[in-house]
């Protein structure tokens, strides 16, 4: 999903969202073209969050929970990220 926020702000919001959901950050890899944050969801599923800059003010966030992709869990994390971005 595309969010109306800069890349660095989206990374920070993602980390804050995970903290608010009590999900640990297992791995955090940040480069200029992509950031990948890995966590473990409440049911034990591995979770990947990919963050990519599109423009200076928009960023793409992809969330995948589990090998098959749990849509409800992914949406819960994505909504938490958007809540932590707040109005821009």
């Amino acid at each position: 999903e595309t969010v109306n926020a800069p890349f660095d702000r989206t990374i920070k919001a993602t980390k804050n969202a995970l903290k608010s959901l009590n999900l640990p950050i297992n791995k955090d890899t940040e480069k200029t073209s992509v950031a990948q944050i890995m966590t473990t969801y409440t049911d034990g599923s591995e979770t990947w969050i990919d963050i990519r800059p599109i423009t200076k003010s928009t960023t793409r966030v992809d969330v995948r929970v589990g090998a098959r992709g749990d849509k409800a869990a992914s949406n819960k994390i994505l909504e938490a990220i958007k809540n932590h971005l707040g109005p821009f």
Side-chain angles (χ1 to χ4, degrees), residues 12-69:
K12 185 175 180 181
T14 300
K15 291 177 182 179
N16 288 335
L18 293 176
K19 186 176 181 181
S20 73
L21 294 169
N22 294 315
L23 299 176
I25 294 175
N26 299 334
K27 186 175 180 184
D28 179 5
T29 306
E30 295 179 29
K31 298 178 182 175
T32 55
S33 61
V34 65
Q36 185 177 66
I37 298 172
M38 295 179 71
T39 186
T40 304
Y41 197 64
T42 54
D43 67 357
S45 298
E46 279 194 19
T47 302
W48 300 265
I49 303 168
D50 290 331
I51 305 164
R52 290 182 171 81
I54 298 173
T55 67
K56 287 184 179 183
S57 61
T58 59
T59 305
R60 178 162 181 83
V61 180
D62 294 303
V63 180
R64 185 168 144 188
V65 177
R68 296 185 177 200

Side-chain angles (χ1 to χ4, degrees), residues 1-17:
E1 181 164 328
T2 301
V3 295
N4 291 317
F7 182 58
D8 57 342
R9 186 164 171 227
T10 305
I11 293 170
K12 185 175 180 181
T14 300
K15 291 177 182 179
N16 288 335

